[in-house]
Amino acid sequence: MSSRPGIENTLSRYGLGYDDHHPEMIVASFTKDAVLTMKIADGDLIGPFDGIDAIMELMNGSAHSQSDQRRHLTTNILIDDVDDDHAKVVAYLTIISVADGKLTVLSTGKYEDEFVRVDGTWLIAKRHIALDLPY
């Protein structure tokens, strides 16, 4: 069976969870011991955020500081180095803001992920977010 549907569902679950303020969907996208790092443009490395609690503290803090509606679009999904329980995934990210009746592209970038299959579900074990612009 192809790993693509499960990996794409996890990527979508994360984005929808963030955008619609359902933190349980974000939690369900990561392993408990996941690691997240981020780099914005040419800035310094942010993180690592070790474990789901640290990742959720970052996500919740970010979400609560935003007064607009965000939409995270994940495209150009490349799944590589796949075996039964591991995959490397690179995908484009476009962050759109909806506020005051208009759409604004806030940033673009890439997710660089390592996925593992846990009890049949593909989860993010390691994520690096590389943004092209601050948002």
Side-chain angles (χ1 to χ4, degrees), residues 13-119:
R13 184 180 305 110
Y14 167 82
L16 289 166
Y18 186 93
D19 295 340
D20 291 342
H21 307 289
H22 294 294
E24 70 280 0
M25 291 175 70
I26 299 171
V27 169
S29 302
F30 289 91
T31 62
K32 300 233 180 285
D33 60 350
V35 176
L36 184 141
T37 58
M38 183 184 312
K39 189 168 185 184
I40 301 173
D42 292 328
D44 294 332
L45 185 69
I46 301 167
F49 299 90
D50 292 312
I52 193 62
D53 291 341
I55 291 170
M56 289 309 298
E57 186 175 330
L58 171 70
M59 295 295 152
N60 288 329
S62 257
H64 291 317
S65 71
Q66 299 161 1
S67 59
D68 56 346
Q69 174 63 63
R70 298 285 168 101
R71 297 292 183 213
H72 288 71
L73 306 179
T74 308
T75 58
N76 293 25
I77 300 165
L78 175 65
I79 301 171
D80 207 5
D81 279 343
V82 181
D83 65 27
D84 289 342
D85 295 315
H86 299 86
K88 290 190 178 181
V89 179
V90 177
Y92 284 170
L93 163 66
T94 304
I95 304 172
I96 296 175
S97 167
V98 181
D100 301 323
K102 68 177 185 173
L103 298 173
T104 305
V105 175
L106 297 180
S107 191
T108 56
K110 289 192 306 186
Y111 291 129
E112 299 168 356
D113 295 329
E114 292 180 22
F115 274 76
V116 296
R117 193 185 327 239
V118 178
D119 297 328

